[in-house]
Amino acid sequence: MNIETIRDYCLMKPDAEETLPFGPDVIVFKVNNKSFLLLPLDTEELRFNVKCDPDLAIELREQYSCVLPGWHMNKKHWNTIVVDGTVPSKLIKEWIDHSYELVNKKKK
């Protein structure tokens, strides 16, 4: 998995948009004006931040060494995923899906 794969996957989501609110070094993917993935372009190691249910966030951090508390984010609700080959792409896509679904919940 690389930056383009992540970018393409995010933009396949309904109503997803790519923004650069923090300058040219961080792509922020949003749905309904809410961020669901932040992808820095200026790191040696490929990594990104995704929103996560707080209980699941802790569980994932304990289970996978590539899942860290969200860098520069609310660590209760965000994880940083280091794409280092230790987990399959399918699982990374599931984490992206989870983040997208959390921020795209329909108001009741």
Side-chain angles (χ1 to χ4, degrees):
M1 185 166 267
N2 59 38
I3 287 176
E4 284 303 314
T5 307
I6 294 169
R7 180 180 179 270
D8 292 345
Y9 189 73
C10 289
L11 291 175
M12 286 176 29
K13 303 278 181 206
D15 301 318
E17 64 177 324
E18 178 180 336
T19 65
L20 296 165
F22 306 117
D25 295 331
V26 180
I27 301 172
V28 179
F29 295 93
K30 295 181 177 185
V31 62
N32 298 326
N33 230 13
K34 294 180 184 177
S35 302
F36 70 92
L37 188 142
L38 287 82
L39 179 62
L41 303 175
D42 60 352
T43 59
E44 279 186 38
E45 201 170 35
L46 178 57
R47 59 179 58 219
F48 60 88
N49 290 350
V50 284
K51 195 155 190 171
C52 191
D53 171 81
D55 293 331
L56 179 59
I58 292 168
E59 185 179 314
L60 293 175
R61 292 174 202 161
E62 290 172 352
Q63 190 171 1
Y64 301 100
S65 62
C66 66
V67 180
L68 308 169
W71 177 254
H72 285 295
M73 304 296 283
N74 180 329
K75 290 163 183 30
K76 180 177 179 180
H77 296 280
W78 289 83
N79 278 340
T80 295
I81 310 301
V82 180
V83 184
D84 60 5
T86 59
V87 297
S89 295
K90 181 180 179 195
L91 191 53
I92 291 173
K93 288 178 179 179
E94 288 176 12
W95 296 337
I96 295 170
D97 294 343
H98 176 69
S99 180
Y100 173 85
E101 290 162 8
L102 280 176
V103 301
N104 196 37
K105 285 184 177 176
K106 302 238 186 239
K107 294 182 181 179
K108 295 182 180 181

